Amino acid sequence: MLSVLLAKLLATAAVVVGVSLAVGKLGPRLGGIIAGTPIVLGPGYFFMLQEHSPAFIQAAALSTLHALVATLLFSMSFVVTAGRLSALASLAIATLCWVPAALLFSRVHGGVGVAVLMYLAMLLLAEGVRRALRLAQPVIVARSGWFDLLLRGLLAGVLVSVATTLAVRSGPLLSGMLVGFPVGLFTIGWTLHERYGADVARATVSMAQKGMLSLVAFGVVTATLVGHAPPMVVFLLSLLASMAVSAMLFLISQWQFRRAWARRRDAIGP
């Protein structure tokens, strides 16, 4: 059992660190797309798809979608509190919001469609909070140091190994919730707050909210196709769907940036 846990921990940590390094090396276009890939969900479901039944995976994927709805509440809590409290205090409050919210949302009936509608409604609320706070766009290009990468990889590895080995004894609900915990937002919020200040951390976390739609796509495809296609085909199609959504979001953001720049240039005149 211990060797299995360790193998999954190291494999997941290697994927997380490797993808994070690739994001910084490939430039903004490819890096932005890869950054939206499910670097924690991916390893988690890679293991679960090989080890558990379609019914288990389907229930776990639905639990993960509910956990992602709770993650929006996590991000809103951090954005609201980080301006007045320390990084760890804000993250503690955000986590205390995430846990009961994930459990509560998991009690909602209706399947994948209802979970997606819940996510979109919460995303609208999060966007309203962001606009009400008038958060500025971060102007600092924050590069991850080795401490950041190793911390993120270690936390992700622990979550995935526990969720896919120990938590499965409690059923798919807990497994799906654990792999849906916002490891990325937790470490990003912590390190950016400590290194660059609350404004940069709050703006960055708020900007990640739309990007989480790629994780929703991964969960939806997994829950829909499992049992109807071989496990690795389900995994690859889920990964492709996630990357397609991430690419679309990146292209939309580029178009919006160019449009805003053109308006500003026209307003200034020749």
Side-chain angles (χ1 to χ4, degrees):
M1 177 69 71
L2 183 60
S3 61
V4 173
L5 281 170
L6 184 60
K8 291 179 178 180
L9 189 156
L10 293 176
T12 301
V15 169
V16 172
V17 173
V19 170
S20 299
L21 287 173
V23 167
K25 297 291 185 181
L26 294 176
R29 186 172 296 277
L30 287 178
I33 295 172
I34 292 177
T37 57
I39 59 175
V40 177
L41 292 187
Y45 278 96
F46 177 83
F47 294 124
M48 284 197 286
L49 279 163
Q50 298 182 79
E51 298 171 357
H52 300 288
S53 67
F56 183 100
I57 300 300
Q58 189 173 48
L62 181 58
S63 177
T64 296
L65 289 172
H66 291 142
L68 291 175
V69 180
T71 296
L72 288 175
L73 189 60
F74 175 100
S75 66
M76 283 189 284
S77 175
F78 178 81
V79 166
V80 170
T81 60
R84 298 182 179 182
L85 302 176
S86 67
L88 289 180
S90 300
L91 289 169
I93 293 173
T95 302
L96 289 175
C97 291
W98 183 88
V99 172
L103 289 172
L104 177 63
F105 294 147
S106 68
R107 301 291 181 182
V108 177
H109 299 287
V112 172
V114 171
V116 172
L117 290 176
M118 288 168 56
Y119 184 90
L120 294 177
M122 190 67 74
L123 182 60
L124 288 175
L125 178 60
E127 181 67 13
V129 170
R130 185 186 70 82
R131 296 195 177 199
L133 294 175
R134 298 181 179 179
L135 297 176
Q137 297 288 333
V139 296
I140 296 175
V141 179
R143 293 187 177 274
S144 296
W146 278 108
F147 172 78
D148 311 356
L149 295 177
L150 293 176
L151 175 64
R152 193 179 309 170
L154 179 61
L155 289 177
V158 169
L159 278 179
V160 168
S161 59
V162 170
T164 60
T165 305
L166 297 179
V168 293
R169 297 176 180 177
S170 300
L173 174 64
L174 184 57
S175 293
M177 282 181 57
L178 284 177
V179 296
F181 181 78
V183 171
L185 290 184
F186 190 98
T187 56
I188 288 170
W190 183 12
T191 55
L192 292 187
H193 194 290
E194 294 292 326
R195 193 169 301 159
Y196 300 106
D199 291 341
V200 172
R202 295 167 74 201
T204 303
V205 169
S206 70
M207 289 173 62
Q209 293 166 344
K210 290 181 181 178
M212 286 167 49
L213 284 168
S214 65
L215 307 183
V216 174
F218 184 95
V220 168
V221 173
T222 299
T224 303
L225 294 184
V226 68
H228 301 287
M232 285 302 97
V233 173
V234 173
F235 177 78
L236 290 175
L237 290 176
S238 299
L239 187 61
L240 288 174
S242 177
M243 294 185 69
V245 171
S246 183
M248 180 185 68
L249 292 172
F250 180 79
L251 292 174
I252 291 174
S253 69
Q254 289 290 92
W255 174 76
Q256 290 175 335
F257 174 80
R258 291 170 182 167
R259 186 180 181 188
W261 176 256
R263 287 180 176 178
R264 185 179 303 176
R265 184 182 57 191
D266 292 342
I268 296 175

PDB file of all heavy atoms in Angstrom, residues 112-134:
ATOM      1  N   VAL A 112     -25.004  15.702 -14.196  1.00  0.00           N
ATOM      2  CA  VAL A 112     -23.979  16.567 -14.783  1.00  0.00           C
ATOM      3  C   VAL A 112     -24.552  17.899 -15.246  1.00  0.00           C
ATOM      4  O   VAL A 112     -23.954  18.959 -15.042  1.00  0.00           O
ATOM      5  CB  VAL A 112     -23.289  15.839 -15.963  1.00  0.00           C
ATOM      6  CG1 VAL A 112     -22.362  16.786 -16.708  1.00  0.00           C
ATOM      7  CG2 VAL A 112     -22.513  14.635 -15.449  1.00  0.00           C
ATOM      8  N   GLY A 113     -25.716  17.875 -15.885  1.00  0.00           N
ATOM      9  CA  GLY A 113     -26.308  19.107 -16.404  1.00  0.00           C
ATOM     10  C   GLY A 113     -26.563  20.131 -15.312  1.00  0.00           C
ATOM     11  O   GLY A 113     -26.249  21.318 -15.470  1.00  0.00           O
ATOM     12  N   VAL A 114     -27.112  19.681 -14.193  1.00  0.00           N
ATOM     13  CA  VAL A 114     -27.376  20.588 -13.081  1.00  0.00           C
ATOM     14  C   VAL A 114     -26.064  21.108 -12.495  1.00  0.00           C
ATOM     15  O   VAL A 114     -25.946  22.283 -12.130  1.00  0.00           O
ATOM     16  CB  VAL A 114     -28.212  19.887 -11.995  1.00  0.00           C
ATOM     17  CG1 VAL A 114     -28.309  20.746 -10.740  1.00  0.00           C
ATOM     18  CG2 VAL A 114     -29.596  19.567 -12.529  1.00  0.00           C
ATOM     19  N   ALA A 115     -25.049  20.242 -12.411  1.00  0.00           N
ATOM     20  CA  ALA A 115     -23.749  20.659 -11.887  1.00  0.00           C
ATOM     21  C   ALA A 115     -23.136  21.759 -12.749  1.00  0.00           C
ATOM     22  O   ALA A 115     -22.567  22.733 -12.232  1.00  0.00           O
ATOM     23  CB  ALA A 115     -22.806  19.465 -11.800  1.00  0.00           C
ATOM     24  N   VAL A 116     -23.254  21.627 -14.067  1.00  0.00           N
ATOM     25  CA  VAL A 116     -22.716  22.648 -14.974  1.00  0.00           C
ATOM     26  C   VAL A 116     -23.479  23.967 -14.817  1.00  0.00           C
ATOM     27  O   VAL A 116     -22.879  25.047 -14.794  1.00  0.00           O
ATOM     28  CB  VAL A 116     -22.768  22.159 -16.429  1.00  0.00           C
ATOM     29  CG1 VAL A 116     -22.396  23.291 -17.395  1.00  0.00           C
ATOM     30  CG2 VAL A 116     -21.825  20.976 -16.622  1.00  0.00           C
ATOM     31  N   LEU A 117     -24.799  23.884 -14.703  1.00  0.00           N
ATOM     32  CA  LEU A 117     -25.593  25.093 -14.490  1.00  0.00           C
ATOM     33  C   LEU A 117     -25.227  25.768 -13.174  1.00  0.00           C
ATOM     34  O   LEU A 117     -25.156  27.008 -13.098  1.00  0.00           O
ATOM     35  CB  LEU A 117     -27.085  24.753 -14.518  1.00  0.00           C
ATOM     36  CG  LEU A 117     -27.666  24.362 -15.874  1.00  0.00           C
ATOM     37  CD1 LEU A 117     -29.130  23.964 -15.721  1.00  0.00           C
ATOM     38  CD2 LEU A 117     -27.532  25.506 -16.873  1.00  0.00           C
ATOM     39  N   MET A 118     -24.997  24.983 -12.136  1.00  0.00           N
ATOM     40  CA  MET A 118     -24.551  25.534 -10.853  1.00  0.00           C
ATOM     41  C   MET A 118     -23.221  26.250 -11.007  1.00  0.00           C
ATOM     42  O   MET A 118     -23.011  27.339 -10.453  1.00  0.00           O
ATOM     43  CB  MET A 118     -24.427  24.410  -9.817  1.00  0.00           C
ATOM     44  CG  MET A 118     -25.747  23.850  -9.332  1.00  0.00           C
ATOM     45  SD  MET A 118     -25.515  22.312  -8.380  1.00  0.00           S
ATOM     46  CE  MET A 118     -24.368  22.874  -7.108  1.00  0.00           C
ATOM     47  N   TYR A 119     -22.324  25.649 -11.762  1.00  0.00           N
ATOM     48  CA  TYR A 119     -21.007  26.271 -11.973  1.00  0.00           C
ATOM     49  C   TYR A 119     -21.150  27.602 -12.704  1.00  0.00           C
ATOM     50  O   TYR A 119     -20.540  28.605 -12.319  1.00  0.00           O
ATOM     51  CB  TYR A 119     -20.097  25.340 -12.766  1.00  0.00           C
ATOM     52  CG  TYR A 119     -18.694  25.903 -12.918  1.00  0.00           C
ATOM     53  CD1 TYR A 119     -17.717  25.616 -11.977  1.00  0.00           C
ATOM     54  CD2 TYR A 119     -18.382  26.736 -13.982  1.00  0.00           C
ATOM     55  CE1 TYR A 119     -16.452  26.160 -12.095  1.00  0.00           C
ATOM     56  CE2 TYR A 119     -17.112  27.284 -14.107  1.00  0.00           C
ATOM     57  CZ  TYR A 119     -16.152  26.988 -13.158  1.00  0.00           C
ATOM     58  OH  TYR A 119     -14.900  27.540 -13.274  1.00  0.00           O
ATOM     59  N   LEU A 120     -21.953  27.622 -13.762  1.00  0.00           N
ATOM     60  CA  LEU A 120     -22.114  28.860 -14.534  1.00  0.00           C
ATOM     61  C   LEU A 120     -22.757  29.958 -13.691  1.00  0.00           C
ATOM     62  O   LEU A 120     -22.368  31.131 -13.788  1.00  0.00           O
ATOM     63  CB  LEU A 120     -22.956  28.574 -15.782  1.00  0.00           C
ATOM     64  CG  LEU A 120     -22.313  27.634 -16.813  1.00  0.00           C
ATOM     65  CD1 LEU A 120     -23.277  27.370 -17.961  1.00  0.00           C
ATOM     66  CD2 LEU A 120     -21.003  28.226 -17.343  1.00  0.00           C
ATOM     67  N   ALA A 121     -23.732  29.586 -12.859  1.00  0.00           N
ATOM     68  CA  ALA A 121     -24.358  30.580 -11.979  1.00  0.00           C
ATOM     69  C   ALA A 121     -23.353  31.131 -10.978  1.00  0.00           C
ATOM     70  O   ALA A 121     -23.297  32.349 -10.725  1.00  0.00           O
ATOM     71  CB  ALA A 121     -25.546  29.947 -11.253  1.00  0.00           C
ATOM     72  N   MET A 122     -22.533  30.258 -10.404  1.00  0.00           N
ATOM     73  CA  MET A 122     -21.517  30.706  -9.451  1.00  0.00           C
ATOM     74  C   MET A 122     -20.447  31.537 -10.147  1.00  0.00           C
ATOM     75  O   MET A 122     -19.899  32.485  -9.571  1.00  0.00           O
ATOM     76  CB  MET A 122     -20.884  29.498  -8.768  1.00  0.00           C
ATOM     77  CG  MET A 122     -19.981  29.854  -7.594  1.00  0.00           C
ATOM     78  SD  MET A 122     -20.873  30.556  -6.183  1.00  0.00           S
ATOM     79  CE  MET A 122     -21.658  29.075  -5.527  1.00  0.00           C
ATOM     80  N   LEU A 123     -20.151  31.203 -11.409  1.00  0.00           N
ATOM     81  CA  LEU A 123     -19.165  31.972 -12.166  1.00  0.00           C
ATOM     82  C   LEU A 123     -19.665  33.397 -12.409  1.00  0.00           C
ATOM     83  O   LEU A 123     -18.888  34.363 -12.340  1.00  0.00           O
ATOM     84  CB  LEU A 123     -18.871  31.282 -13.503  1.00  0.00           C
ATOM     85  CG  LEU A 123     -17.818  31.949 -14.400  1.00  0.00           C
ATOM     86  CD1 LEU A 123     -16.476  32.029 -13.681  1.00  0.00           C
ATOM     87  CD2 LEU A 123     -17.677  31.178 -15.708  1.00  0.00           C
ATOM     88  N   LEU A 124     -20.952  33.551 -12.708  1.00  0.00           N
ATOM     89  CA  LEU A 124     -21.536  34.883 -12.865  1.00  0.00           C
ATOM     90  C   LEU A 124     -21.430  35.676 -11.562  1.00  0.00           C
ATOM     91  O   LEU A 124     -21.122  36.875 -11.574  1.00  0.00           O
ATOM     92  CB  LEU A 124     -22.990  34.772 -13.305  1.00  0.00           C
ATOM     93  CG  LEU A 124     -23.237  34.324 -14.745  1.00  0.00           C
ATOM     94  CD1 LEU A 124     -24.734  34.156 -14.992  1.00  0.00           C
ATOM     95  CD2 LEU A 124     -22.647  35.332 -15.738  1.00  0.00           C
ATOM     96  N   LEU A 125     -21.686  35.009 -10.444  1.00  0.00           N
ATOM     97  CA  LEU A 125     -21.552  35.674  -9.150  1.00  0.00           C
ATOM     98  C   LEU A 125     -20.108  36.092  -8.898  1.00  0.00           C
ATOM     99  O   LEU A 125     -19.845  37.207  -8.428  1.00  0.00           O
ATOM    100  CB  LEU A 125     -22.033  34.737  -8.045  1.00  0.00           C
ATOM    101  CG  LEU A 125     -21.915  35.270  -6.608  1.00  0.00           C
ATOM    102  CD1 LEU A 125     -22.735  36.548  -6.432  1.00  0.00           C
ATOM    103  CD2 LEU A 125     -22.370  34.204  -5.612  1.00  0.00           C
ATOM    104  N   ALA A 126     -19.168  35.205  -9.222  1.00  0.00           N
ATOM    105  CA  ALA A 126     -17.754  35.520  -9.032  1.00  0.00           C
ATOM    106  C   ALA A 126     -17.338  36.699  -9.901  1.00  0.00           C
ATOM    107  O   ALA A 126     -16.555  37.568  -9.469  1.00  0.00           O
ATOM    108  CB  ALA A 126     -16.899  34.297  -9.360  1.00  0.00           C
ATOM    109  N   GLU A 127     -17.848  36.739 -11.130  1.00  0.00           N
ATOM    110  CA  GLU A 127     -17.532  37.868 -12.020  1.00  0.00           C
ATOM    111  C   GLU A 127     -18.106  39.162 -11.468  1.00  0.00           C
ATOM    112  O   GLU A 127     -17.478  40.222 -11.548  1.00  0.00           O
ATOM    113  CB  GLU A 127     -18.092  37.586 -13.419  1.00  0.00           C
ATOM    114  CG  GLU A 127     -17.807  38.666 -14.443  1.00  0.00           C
ATOM    115  CD  GLU A 127     -16.348  38.797 -14.803  1.00  0.00           C
ATOM    116  OE1 GLU A 127     -15.557  37.901 -14.451  1.00  0.00           O
ATOM    117  OE2 GLU A 127     -15.986  39.800 -15.448  1.00  0.00           O
ATOM    118  N   GLY A 128     -19.305  39.085 -10.878  1.00  0.00           N
ATOM    119  CA  GLY A 128     -19.892  40.270 -10.259  1.00  0.00           C
ATOM    120  C   GLY A 128     -19.066  40.763  -9.087  1.00  0.00           C
ATOM    121  O   GLY A 128     -18.869  41.978  -8.914  1.00  0.00           O
ATOM    122  N   VAL A 129     -18.557  39.834  -8.278  1.00  0.00           N
ATOM    123  CA  VAL A 129     -17.699  40.212  -7.150  1.00  0.00           C
ATOM    124  C   VAL A 129     -16.422  40.868  -7.652  1.00  0.00           C
ATOM    125  O   VAL A 129     -15.959  41.881  -7.116  1.00  0.00           O
ATOM    126  CB  VAL A 129     -17.375  38.982  -6.286  1.00  0.00           C
ATOM    127  CG1 VAL A 129     -16.299  39.302  -5.252  1.00  0.00           C
ATOM    128  CG2 VAL A 129     -18.635  38.474  -5.589  1.00  0.00           C
ATOM    129  N   ARG A 130     -15.830  40.294  -8.698  1.00  0.00           N
ATOM    130  CA  ARG A 130     -14.588  40.852  -9.254  1.00  0.00           C
ATOM    131  C   ARG A 130     -14.797  42.276  -9.750  1.00  0.00           C
ATOM    132  O   ARG A 130     -13.977  43.167  -9.500  1.00  0.00           O
ATOM    133  CB  ARG A 130     -14.086  39.971 -10.399  1.00  0.00           C
ATOM    134  CG  ARG A 130     -12.733  40.398 -10.962  1.00  0.00           C
ATOM    135  CD  ARG A 130     -12.364  39.577 -12.180  1.00  0.00           C
ATOM    136  NE  ARG A 130     -13.207  39.911 -13.317  1.00  0.00           N
ATOM    137  CZ  ARG A 130     -13.007  40.960 -14.119  1.00  0.00           C
ATOM    138  NH1 ARG A 130     -11.986  41.781 -13.890  1.00  0.00           N
ATOM    139  NH2 ARG A 130     -13.807  41.191 -15.132  1.00  0.00           N
ATOM    140  N   ARG A 131     -15.903  42.503 -10.436  1.00  0.00           N
ATOM    141  CA  ARG A 131     -16.161  43.846 -10.958  1.00  0.00           C
ATOM    142  C   ARG A 131     -16.485  44.820  -9.840  1.00  0.00           C
ATOM    143  O   ARG A 131     -16.097  45.994  -9.896  1.00  0.00           O
ATOM    144  CB  ARG A 131     -17.313  43.794 -11.965  1.00  0.00           C
ATOM    145  CG  ARG A 131     -16.982  42.976 -13.191  1.00  0.00           C
ATOM    146  CD  ARG A 131     -17.952  43.223 -14.318  1.00  0.00           C
ATOM    147  NE  ARG A 131     -17.590  42.479 -15.503  1.00  0.00           N
ATOM    148  CZ  ARG A 131     -18.024  42.762 -16.721  1.00  0.00           C
ATOM    149  NH1 ARG A 131     -18.839  43.783 -16.906  1.00  0.00           N
ATOM    150  NH2 ARG A 131     -17.648  42.034 -17.751  1.00  0.00           N
ATOM    151  N   ALA A 132     -17.210  44.343  -8.817  1.00  0.00           N
ATOM    152  CA  ALA A 132     -17.552  45.222  -7.701  1.00  0.00           C
ATOM    153  C   ALA A 132     -16.305  45.668  -6.950  1.00  0.00           C
ATOM    154  O   ALA A 132     -16.220  46.810  -6.475  1.00  0.00           O
ATOM    155  CB  ALA A 132     -18.514  44.504  -6.754  1.00  0.00           C
ATOM    156  N   LEU A 133     -15.318  44.788  -6.846  1.00  0.00           N
ATOM    157  CA  LEU A 133     -14.075  45.134  -6.154  1.00  0.00           C
ATOM    158  C   LEU A 133     -13.131  45.946  -7.029  1.00  0.00           C
ATOM    159  O   LEU A 133     -12.147  46.489  -6.523  1.00  0.00           O
ATOM    160  CB  LEU A 133     -13.367  43.856  -5.693  1.00  0.00           C
ATOM    161  CG  LEU A 133     -14.088  43.044  -4.611  1.00  0.00           C
ATOM    162  CD1 LEU A 133     -13.342  41.742  -4.344  1.00  0.00           C
ATOM    163  CD2 LEU A 133     -14.220  43.851  -3.327  1.00  0.00           C
ATOM    164  N   ARG A 134     -13.400  45.989  -8.341  1.00  0.00           N
ATOM    165  CA  ARG A 134     -12.585  46.749  -9.286  1.00  0.00           C
ATOM    166  C   ARG A 134     -11.109  46.369  -9.187  1.00  0.00           C
ATOM    167  O   ARG A 134     -10.231  47.226  -9.030  1.00  0.00           O
ATOM    168  CB  ARG A 134     -12.757  48.260  -9.058  1.00  0.00           C
ATOM    169  CG  ARG A 134     -14.187  48.750  -9.285  1.00  0.00           C
ATOM    170  CD  ARG A 134     -14.312  50.237  -9.064  1.00  0.00           C
ATOM    171  NE  ARG A 134     -15.679  50.690  -9.297  1.00  0.00           N
ATOM    172  CZ  ARG A 134     -16.085  51.961  -9.155  1.00  0.00           C
ATOM    173  NH1 ARG A 134     -15.212  52.887  -8.768  1.00  0.00           N
ATOM    174  NH2 ARG A 134     -17.344  52.277  -9.388  1.00  0.00           N
TER     175      ARG A 134
END
